[in-house]
Amino acid sequence: MSTLDVAVRAPASRGERLDPLALLALPATAYLGIAFAVPLVLLLVTSVWTPAGLTIDGYVKFFSDSYGWRVMWNALRAALWTTAICLVIGYPVGFALARSRGVVQVLLLVALILPLSVGVVVKAFAWTILLRSNGVVNQMLLATGIASEPVRFIFTEAGLVVGAVNIFLSFMVLPIFSVVKLIDGRLLDAAATLGASPLHRFLRVTVPLSMPGVIAGIAFVFSMAISMYVIPTLLMGDRYQTMSTLIARSYLFMRDRSLGSAVAVVLLGIAVAVVVISGWLARRSRDVR
Amino acid sequence: MTIAMWTITAMVVLFLIAPLVVVVAVSFSASPVFNLPPPSWSARWYERLWRLRDFWPAVRTSLEIAALSTAISLVLGTLCAIAVERGRFPGRDALVTFAVSPLMMPGLVVGVALLQMLRQVGFRDAWMSLLIGHIVITLPYVIRTVLASLSLFDFTLIDAARTLGCSYPKALLKVMVPVLAPAFLTSGLFAFLASMDNYPISIFLTDARTKTLPVQILTYLEETPDPTIAAISTGLIVMTIVVLLLADRLVGLRRIAEL
């Protein structure tokens, strides 16, 4: 529809009527409403409503027991470590990617995008091989003299975090890259002209400007790490429980719906909180600019 | 500082590539345990994979579900993106947030919730349940990417094409579709790969007869951990490389990285 059409038609529509284009959004919205939103609302309802009536049994069972807190702390601790390590090593890599040109940049992109596309199941399986006591990691540690005897990695939290960092790292690097490459180099030159030292330029110009990418990266990695399921299942085994594995167990093996749905709601709450907080932080960091 | 940055980057590249190299190496090992480097090389795990036949129904289910959910998402997602970008109605920002939110929600919770609802209405067909669940995660990819691409599209080009004598549908086809093609391609590829790899939603929706490949792989790993899994994983890696090469030829890696 051309602007002319709009100008001619404008008086006829009162401005109150819904734009017919909105109808195009209807199929997707209706779909996600029925297959995504309604089930989540039903989950909330079933977590407090059983055939016997209103109850908070599931929540009581989860929170009253030290086991529930331990499970939650397991998930949080692994997610926090994973996110922190991803940030520390992902930040310089995001920079390197933005600075690199030509073949080097292509190689870096391949190294980031290929593992990202291969899928969690394959990579988690690979880490079960890498982390074995006679696995590659241990052979390297022994060969370089860092360790004098094989270190136990598989079925330890350190091993879990190493695997998770490996699998989620691209989600930290790519958002940082996409923001850093937009930073205007002249801003740094201007700061240098005004007498700022390299460290000062980095801390006062580069870091604030890269914050949107950092926030997005942290939000991605944390929300994936807190709810990871395949990785702990393969790298930690059955004895170690996180919220995800507990949900799966309560539904698939224990047939304990009230506990499962309660834990699912708690995990959902954490995910929503991450989205809301990161959105708020992102808006704030944009306003600072 | 530059040296430190490049040293870290080089180590990270090795770290990221290591799992893939290990999987491929183990798949060609002659030994049933995961020794590296393998004592001798063989293709026995590929032969075993061929003979086993456990995996082929799962491969088929996964390919069907991934292809169909991607195709459906491309249609629904593009329509939705056009509505948001061109339409003038309230709540468009909220609509986008809602449409993209399945990507930020724990897959396991989405799967459990869907399972519960389908059970409550008495729906038990595993294949259809899987399709329904997978569209929930493939649709947001398409909406997000096509929307980003549409927001850069200059719609006056369509008016220009019409002034020059194109009909409206023809103008859309000749002007808008080529500009959006990279977005269709990248979002389609990532949606497809996400569906192929999905475990947390699939685990609740499969049954004994209808399993997706990731579910079958994990079941097999629990029962007989041998390099057969490495062989099928190598197959998945090769598939991914082919898909990415295709995307690189058609769109370019740099554009893929933007997403």
Side-chain angles (χ1 to χ4, degrees), chain A residues 19 31 105 166 181 251, chain B residues 15 88 116 132 254 258:
Chain A
D19 189 333
Y31 185 86
Q105 191 178 40
N166 178 273
K181 75 170 186 208
Y251 272 90
Chain B
F15 175 61
R88 293 286 164 267
Q116 250 186 20
I132 294 170
R254 272 178 207 89
E258 318 257 298

Side-chain angles (χ1 to χ4, degrees), chain B residues 11 22 24-25 44 48 64 73 80 87 99 115 118 129-130 132 139 145 180 185-186 205 208 223-224 247:
Chain B
M11 283 163 66
V22 162
V24 176
R44 61 184 279 206
R48 184 174 151 78
E64 284 170 355
S73 300
C80 181
L115 172 81
L118 293 176
S129 307
L130 282 168
I132 294 170
L139 189 51
T145 311
L180 289 185
L185 202 84
T186 25
L205 305 175
E223 289 160 4
T224 22

Side-chain angles (χ1 to χ4, degrees), chain A residues 46 58 197:
Chain A
T46 42
S197 68

